[in-house]
Structures are given as C-alpha cells and as structure tokens.
C-alpha cells in the first residue's frame, strides 16, 4: 500500500493552523462524522478491500463473520481496516478460534467494532478531532467506542475499549458506500 502519511501530516497541520487562527467554536454534540465527498467509484468498500492484497485476511474474516451483505449495502461506512500484518499480531490459536463456527459471533463483534456507520474521510476526521478539543469519540457498528486523536507526529491514533492503540497507516481508500483507513493493529472491543 502506498503511504499517505505526508497527506495526513499536511491535513493535521492545516487543521491545527485553522484551529489556532479561528475563534474557538462551541463543542459539537453527538459523534456523527461529517460526510466526505461522494466518490467516483462504483465499488463498495468490501469490493475495494477485496482488490487490495493487504486486506486478504480482513476480507476472509468478514466473509466468515457473515458481514458481506452489510458492507455491500448502501452505508455509509468508515472502516478502520486491519491489514494482514495487524492480524498476524493476534496469536494463531486466537485467530483459529475466531474462524471456527462457534467463534463466528465473537468474530462479527470484533470486526463490527472497526466499522463506523458514517462516511469520515481523513480531512473530516482531523477536523472533527480538532473541533473536539483534541479527541473524537466514534460509536462503532458494534456499539462500542473508539477514541481518535492526532499524535505529535500528525498520525491519527485510535484507542480501543481495552486501551490499545491503532495507528492509521493509509487513509482515504474510497468506495461507493464509504471509506477505508488501514490500521496497524486489530482493535479490542473490551
């Protein structure tokens, strides 16, 4: 995957500059992200993920969890998509347990924790983090919360319910029904 870190750094710098120059706005209510511009592609986020070799484990897990129909639906979705390398951080025995029929419900719970039921591109994400005073709570499709912030290097970090951190390593992989941001770690819903 091509790195978009320079873009994220630039977006973070612009957002910080704008925030510093503008009068402080009152905090927004709710966690519904600002919609991104409509994409030119007709491929759903799932179809886009299927075409990316860094998401083969994710796509297989989504199929096993029965989430194909959902992610091929109208959305909108923002997926914080763990790469193959992120899944490799999970012990093999735990990965195997999740892919067995009796683990399907837990796998679905885990994967739906990476999906936000709204379209949130990188620029909107950074803007909302800054507007939120440095952090943004995102309610996931699973019902849990991921907390987003921008670190000192301009990277977007997410903190999961267990206190683990995920780093966005590629942003704005656009589908017709949402956007994908690749992350380096699998989130734990708690």
């Amino acid at each position: 995957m091509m790195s978009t870190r320079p873009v994220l750094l630039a977006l973070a710098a612009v957002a910080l500059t704008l925030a510093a120059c503008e009068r402080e706005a009152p905090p927004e209510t709710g966690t519904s992200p600002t919609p991104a511009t409509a994409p030119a592609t007709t491929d759903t986020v799932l179809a886009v993920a299927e075409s990316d070799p860094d998401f083969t484990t994710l796509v297989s897990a989504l199929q096993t969890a029965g989430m194909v129909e959902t992610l091929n639906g109208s959305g909108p979705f923002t997926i914080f998509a763990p790469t193959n390398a992120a899944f490799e951080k999970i012990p093999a025995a735990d990965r195997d347990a999740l892919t067995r029929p009796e683990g399907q419900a837990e796998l679905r719970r885990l994967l739906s924790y990476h999906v936000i039921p709204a379209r949130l591109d990188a620029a909107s994400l950074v803007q909302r983090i800054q507007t939120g005073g440095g952090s943004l709570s995102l309610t996931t499709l699973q019902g849990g919360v991921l907390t987003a912030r921008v670190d000192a290097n301009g990277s977007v970090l997410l903190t999961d319910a267990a206190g683990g951190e995920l780093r966005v390593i590629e942003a704005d992989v656009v589908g017709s029904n949402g956007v994908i941001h690749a992350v380096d770690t699998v989130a734990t819903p708690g």
Side-chain angles (χ1 to χ4, degrees):
M1 279 194 268
M2 183 188 307
S3 174
T4 58
R5 186 165 186 205
V7 173
L8 284 175
L9 289 172
L11 288 171
V14 168
L16 288 171
T17 302
L18 289 174
C21 293
E22 293 179 357
R23 191 176 59 129
E24 185 171 320
E28 294 183 22
T29 59
T31 60
S32 179
T34 304
T37 306
T41 185
T42 58
D43 290 338
T44 65
V45 288
L46 183 61
V48 170
E50 288 172 335
S51 69
D52 191 318
D54 284 332
F55 294 134
T56 57
T57 304
L58 173 64
V59 169
S60 177
L62 289 168
Q63 292 166 345
T64 300
M67 293 182 66
V68 169
E69 187 175 326
T70 300
L71 296 178
N72 276 330
S74 61
F77 303 109
T78 298
I79 303 175
F80 292 104
T83 62
N84 295 341
F87 279 103
E88 288 297 318
K89 293 179 182 179
I90 299 173
D94 293 342
R95 286 194 315 264
D96 290 343
L98 288 169
T99 58
R100 291 189 189 117
E102 60 272 13
Q104 185 175 2
E106 183 59 25
L107 181 60
R108 185 177 182 87
R109 179 177 173 267
L110 177 76
L111 295 173
S112 63
Y113 187 60
H114 291 79
V115 180
I116 309 301
R119 181 184 299 271
L120 184 60
D121 65 13
S124 298
L125 180 60
V126 170
Q127 178 186 21
R128 303 270 311 204
I129 291 168
Q130 296 309 319
T131 301
S135 70
L136 175 64
S137 294
L138 300 165
T139 302
T140 69
L141 196 59
Q142 177 264 352
V145 174
L146 289 169
T147 303
R149 65 182 173 85
V150 177
D151 73 6
N153 296 321
S155 296
V156 174
L157 296 178
L158 300 164
T159 304
D160 65 23
E165 287 192 342
L166 302 75
R167 182 176 305 275
V168 173
I169 56 174
E170 182 179 4
D172 293 342
V173 180
V174 178
S176 62
N177 61 346
V179 62
I180 299 170
H181 304 299
V183 293
D184 66 350
T185 304
V186 176
T188 304

